Amino acid sequence: MEVPAVLQELGVVLGVAVVVVLALSHLRLPTIAGLLAAGALIGPGGLGLVHDAARITVLAEIGVVLLLFSIGLEFSLARLRRLWRVLLLGGGLQVGLTTLGVLVGALVLGVPAARGVFFGFLVALSSTAIVLRALTERHEVDAPHGRLIIGALIFQDLCVVPMMLAIPLLAGHQGGVGAILAVLVKAVLLVLATVLLGRTVVPRFLKDVAATRRREVFILAVLGICVGIAWLSSLAGLSLALGAFLAGIALADGDYGHQALADVLPLRETLASFFFISMGMLLDVRVLMERPLLVAALVVGVVVLKALVGAVSAMVMHFPPWVAVLAGLGLAQIGEFSFVLAHAGAQAGLLSAGEQRVFITMSVLTMLVTPVVLHFGPRLAAGAAHLKRLEALIGAHGPHHLEGTHSAALTDHYIVGGLGTAGRLVTRALRESRLPHVCIDLDPEVVSEARRRGESLYYGDITSAEILERAGIHRARALVLLLDDPLGAARAVSAARRLHAHVPILVRVQRLGDIADLRDRGASEVLAGELETALEAVARVLKSSDLSEEAVARLLETLRRDHPHGAMPPVPPPPALLPPPPKEGPEQQEYRH
């Protein structure tokens, strides 16, 4: 019977995947590496435990659709407008320079220009699924390099459509221009229709569904919207995944986007795991045995080329070298949509069967090394941070960098790093309290918008010793780090402590595991989102009882002290972070907004 065969294969896949992931977790390797390795082990090119990978591939395709749908739910139109510069400039440079680099290499080797351009398309795309999973696990989605990577990935996904349409032209087939125009018109109409539905019909429909108070009906409605728009996308000649991404954007700006994301996440994580396993199954060990040097050279060449192109693209946008290195490493693999292009290119005669086998094997290997590269990426980025001459050459401090005349007028002031939600609240409190302060952020759009409002916000890398000196770290009252980047926060603490041994440093982090490292680096006080949220919940529960405020405060302090990450290290306590403000001098009066 068919059903037992399916269950047997699923049992093998799940069992081996769990064992391999657990084994590699002891080596501190991420989950994605384990899933890819498990697929390579059980696939036709490995032990052959799963002979028919088509069933797993179907689940994987559904997983990719749900993954892109959930990404769209997290990237509303408002957020995409914030990323437009990174998306168009960063993504355009990355795709264009990668394609150009591969084309030049192909021409040198005597490959025709049309095939060279096609090979460039294959290499230019990166893996949205793998990189986003890794960034999410590392809490780096909103970090500077995370924004760069996501913008480039979205641009790449949008480029899949014109790349697919260009294949007939590259293969010398006639009638390609008319087909391209027809599909582009359909694509534009689909995007407009999706946005219109997301603003009008979908919210009313989900409101009626939510009124039933039946969660299963709501989940079915959300999945129906996702599948329906993805299906319409495929009819227009676009990919299913891109249609699902548009469906997510259509829901993101409404009242039910957060609930839709919460309901889809468990299913997405499960099916996305099948995608990684199916990618690993494509690895053909026989190709490695037959042409090991060729495959190794291609893997190294692709990873190095894409890492360099990604880093150069980031530095052209005035990001510091350490951010550029992390962004380049995050984009240094072949993407899942490249397999779709390769299949279409093979049918059009641009890729032979042997070349397709080599390409797939090489691509899977780049995916396998990506989690490992990202794991060790911070060490490489730390070395790149010392490239001061390169940083000055590319103008990484940006158009609104701190000026010496401004910082010289500041004394006993607060330096705030990061202007997210917490940063905006702290800055507003300082401004309304008329306390001197200066804010530094690495998002040029945020900086420009804040400066138009007359706020004292500057573009710069808070982890740079030069920026901290210009901000007046030696005269500062306190340094407040509210970054969405744990690596950047750690580097900023180290740089500030080297410059000023006694300045109070307050750091906000998301993970409890980052507390110990930050304190070792010299942070005076560390607020962990997980711990502080839990303590706030405890406080609200206890305050609803008959306990006195003193008893509640005492118990909260005990819980904070007894938590594994809550105890302060055995060093003399630093000066109070927020001492009483001094009397205003002429500098402070002059600084008022």
Side-chain angles (χ1 to χ4, degrees):
M1 292 178 63
E2 186 69 17
V3 173
V6 173
L7 291 178
Q8 179 181 358
E9 290 183 351
L10 285 177
V12 171
V13 169
L14 295 174
V16 173
V18 170
V19 172
V20 173
V21 169
L22 286 176
L24 294 184
S25 67
H26 294 295
L27 301 177
R28 298 185 179 274
L29 294 178
T31 303
I32 302 173
L35 295 174
L36 290 170
L41 181 64
I42 64 179
L47 299 178
L49 299 179
V50 176
H51 300 282
D52 186 5
R55 301 186 184 96
I56 307 301
T57 303
V58 171
L59 292 176
E61 291 176 353
I62 298 174
V64 173
V65 168
L66 289 178
L67 178 66
L68 269 295
F69 177 61
S70 62
I71 294 170
L73 286 171
E74 296 181 278
F75 282 87
S76 62
L77 290 175
R79 190 173 185 184
L80 286 177
R81 282 194 294 268
R82 277 189 56 203
L83 285 173
W84 74 268
R85 180 174 176 269
V86 172
L87 192 151
L88 293 179
L89 182 56
L93 284 172
Q94 190 271 331
V95 172
L97 292 178
T98 302
T99 304
L100 179 61
V102 174
L103 173 60
V104 171
L107 292 176
V108 171
L109 296 175
V111 178
R115 297 187 70 205
V117 172
F118 175 68
F119 292 161
F121 288 169
L122 295 179
V123 175
L125 301 180
S126 303
S127 176
T128 302
I130 291 177
V131 178
L132 280 178
R133 180 75 168 266
L135 289 175
T136 302
E137 288 180 353
R138 297 168 61 86
H139 299 274
E140 295 176 355
V141 172
D142 290 317
H145 62 278
R147 293 196 300 268
L148 277 169
I149 291 172
I150 290 173
L153 291 174
I154 294 175
F155 184 86
Q156 291 174 9
D157 293 340
L158 295 175
C159 285
V160 172
V161 178
M163 287 178 178
M164 287 286 293
L165 297 176
I167 287 178
L169 294 178
L170 295 175
H173 298 171
Q174 300 298 322
V177 176
I180 289 176
L181 292 177
V183 175
L184 286 178
V185 170
K186 293 179 182 179
V188 172
L189 292 177
L190 176 65
V191 172
L192 294 177
T194 301
V195 174
L196 182 63
L197 289 173
R199 295 291 179 88
T200 57
V201 179
V202 171
R204 297 177 183 177
F205 171 67
L206 289 181
K207 181 179 180 180
D208 294 337
V209 172
T212 65
R213 298 183 181 277
R214 296 179 181 273
R215 186 182 180 188
E216 63 275 13
V217 178
F218 184 82
I219 295 176
L220 289 175
V222 169
L223 292 177
I225 293 172
C226 170
V227 174
I229 296 180
W231 174 66
L232 292 175
S233 172
S234 66
L235 293 181
L238 309 177
S239 66
L240 287 171
L242 184 58
F245 177 74
L246 293 174
I249 292 178
L251 289 176
D253 287 319
D255 297 330
Y256 304 98
H258 294 294
Q259 185 60 45
L261 179 61
D263 290 335
V264 169
L265 276 178
L267 188 60
R268 181 198 78 173
E269 294 298 326
T270 302
L271 293 176
S273 298
F274 281 106
F275 164 75
F276 299 122
I277 294 172
S278 68
M279 290 297 101
M281 287 182 182
L282 295 176
L283 182 65
D284 193 341
V285 180
R286 290 169 297 181
V287 174
L288 286 176
M289 297 177 63
E290 294 170 1
R291 303 179 179 179
L293 295 180
L294 174 62
V295 173
L298 289 175
V299 170
V300 174
V302 166
V303 171
V304 171
L305 172 64
K306 298 196 70 175
L308 288 176
V309 168
V312 169
S313 301
M315 288 190 289
V316 168
M317 299 176 66
H318 302 294
F319 282 91
W322 70 272
V323 174
V325 168
L326 291 175
L329 293 176
L331 297 170
Q333 75 289 130
I334 301 295
E336 51 272 6
F337 288 133
S338 294
F339 298 136
V340 179
L341 289 179
H343 179 69
Q347 291 181 329
L350 291 172
L351 203 65
S352 67
E355 290 172 338
Q356 188 176 10
R357 288 176 60 209
V358 172
F359 171 76
I360 291 177
T361 302
M362 178 269 294
S363 301
V364 174
L365 287 177
T366 64
M367 292 179 173
L368 276 170
V369 301
T370 294
V372 181
V373 169
L374 291 177
H375 181 72
F376 293 101
R379 299 183 183 180
L380 297 175
H386 298 292
L387 301 177
K388 298 299 180 184
R389 292 185 178 179
L390 177 61
E391 189 173 355
L393 178 64
I394 63 177
H397 298 314
H400 301 302
H401 61 272
L402 283 172
E403 300 172 1
T405 56
H406 176 83
S407 61
L410 292 176
T411 182
D412 207 40
H413 58 288
Y414 296 91
I415 302 175
V416 182
L419 202 71
T421 301
R424 285 193 293 269
L425 290 175
V426 170
T427 301
R428 178 181 175 182
L430 292 171
R431 184 171 60 252
E432 294 184 358
S433 302
R434 298 184 175 181
L435 293 173
H437 62 279
V438 61
C439 303
I440 303 171
D441 197 273
L442 205 53
D443 189 334
E445 299 301 323
V446 171
V447 173
S448 298
E449 182 181 350
R451 287 174 66 87
R452 283 193 295 267
R453 296 194 301 265
E455 298 180 10
S456 179
L457 183 66
Y458 293 87
Y459 181 92
D461 179 12
I462 194 67
T463 70
S464 168
E466 181 183 359
I467 290 293
L468 288 171
E469 287 180 342
R470 292 191 178 189
I473 187 68
H474 297 288
R475 303 178 303 279
R477 185 179 183 80
L479 172 64
V480 183
L481 297 173
L482 304 170
L483 308 177
D484 293 320
D485 179 12
L487 173 63
R491 291 174 48 78
V493 171
S494 297
R497 192 54 74 204
R498 286 195 301 267
L499 295 172
H500 194 323
H502 303 293
V503 63
I505 303 175
L506 169 67
V507 190
R508 191 282 313 267
V509 294
Q510 295 296 331
R511 297 179 297 183
L512 292 172
D514 295 326
I515 296 180
D517 177 61
L518 289 169
R519 285 179 173 163
D520 290 340
R521 291 173 180 264
S524 308
E525 187 173 354
V526 183
L527 301 177
E530 296 175 347
L531 179 60
E532 298 303 323
T533 302
L535 292 176
E536 178 63 21
V538 172
R540 298 197 178 197
V541 170
L542 295 180
K543 287 178 180 178
S544 64
S545 65
D546 295 331
L547 291 176
S548 64
E549 292 188 5
E550 182 180 354
V552 172
R554 189 165 54 248
L555 180 55
L556 290 175
E557 184 60 30
T558 301
L559 292 176
R560 179 179 279 106
R561 184 180 62 251
D562 292 344
H563 192 275
H565 297 285
M568 290 293 292
V571 296
L577 185 62
L578 299 176
K583 295 182 179 180
E584 290 185 350
E587 295 88 352
Q588 285 83 359
Q589 293 174 355
E590 180 182 356
Y591 182 79
R592 288 183 181 180
H593 296 284

